[in-house]
Amino acid sequence: EADIYQTPRYLVIGTGKKITLECSQTMGHDKMYWYQQDPGMELHLIHYSYGVNSTEKGDLSSESTVSRIRTEHFPLTLESARPSHTSQYLCASSEGDYNEQFFGPGTRLTVL
Amino acid sequence: QKEVEQNSGPLSVPEGAIASLNCTYSDRGSQSFFWYRQYSGKSPELIMFIYSNGDKEDGRFTAQLNKASQYVSLLIRDSQPSDSATYLCAVRGAAGNKLTFGGGTRVLVKP
């Protein structure tokens, strides 16, 4: 079944640790996105990719980095986690003329 | 002025009534418009999208688009308690494939 997956779903980690949030999709989509959302707040685009070896920063400044080596895989990395990185991170993918985006289940990150 | 604006609510609706949600946007060249439903603690779920002026119906949901007035609305007919959620309006601008999201309208359907 075509879907979009994120792991881990929940992560509690100490300050200064390096973390990678995984996102994979089996929908065959070229375009993928990372959003950050605090509870009850707006979605903010932090990274996007329109294809392999193509990545761009989004509208919200972020200390994270991304890579797109395979079409189906779009991991996000924080080199040194800080409490200000505590948030929900949502991955999405899209295809088609109208760019309907479909979201994964999200990763809830807590940095102590 | 925000690029995509929604009333944050909460919009309280009796069960069985029609919920009406509005969204305005600033980019006159915007191409397509999306409504997402987000339950607390969950990720957004696409309900429907619209790209031409007029109405588009899908089950109990109707999206309405008026490009001249730069607004898009969502009607939920026969509202159910399970419709209680935050509804996000998203707009694809004139350039590129990125979506800009509004802050969402929280809807509460009371039995």
Side-chain angles (χ1 to χ4, degrees), chain B residues 44-81:
Chain B
E45 173 192 7
L46 180 65
I47 298 174
M48 60 191 308
F49 70 94
I50 188 168
Y51 54 88
S52 57
N53 280 328
D55 295 0
K56 180 181 178 182
E57 187 175 318
D58 184 357
R60 295 187 295 111
F61 299 99
T62 299
Q64 300 173 318
L65 175 61
N66 184 323
K67 288 188 176 181
S69 300
Q70 294 176 241
Y71 83 79
V72 57
S73 62
L74 179 71
L75 301 178
I76 308 173
R77 290 184 300 281
D78 188 24
S79 295
Q80 302 297 309

Side-chain angles (χ1 to χ4, degrees), chain A residues 9-10 31 33 35 37 40-43 45 48 50 57-59 88 90 94 96-106 108, chain B residues 2-4 31-34 36 38 40-46 49-51 88 92 95-104:
Chain A
R9 295 290 310 280
Y10 303 91
K31 304 177 189 70
Y33 312 82
Y35 291 87
Q37 185 182 35
M41 303 299 284
E42 294 179 26
L43 278 162
L45 180 68
Y48 61 99
Y50 290 164
K57 288 188 179 293
D59 304 322
Q88 171 154 269
L90 293 160
S94 73
D97 294 338
Y98 304 107
N99 196 41
E100 310 97 278
Q101 290 187 18
F102 298 92
F103 284 82
R108 189 169 297 279
Chain B
K2 287 187 174 182
E3 293 182 52
V4 179
Q31 300 180 28
S32 44
F33 308 84
F34 305 83
Y36 287 83
Q38 186 174 28
S40 180
K42 302 295 185 183
S43 61
E45 173 192 7
L46 180 65
F49 70 94
I50 188 168
Y51 54 88
L88 305 174
R92 179 186 174 192
N97 294 293
K98 295 186 291 180
L99 298 185
T100 300
F101 284 81

Side-chain angles (χ1 to χ4, degrees), chain A residues 61-80:
Chain A
S61 175
S62 174
E63 294 165 346
S64 58
T65 59
V66 292
S67 63
R68 188 90 183 275
I69 299 173
R70 303 198 318 263
T71 299
E72 64 273 17
H73 194 213
F74 191 39
L76 181 146
T77 298
L78 278 167
E79 290 292 333
S80 180

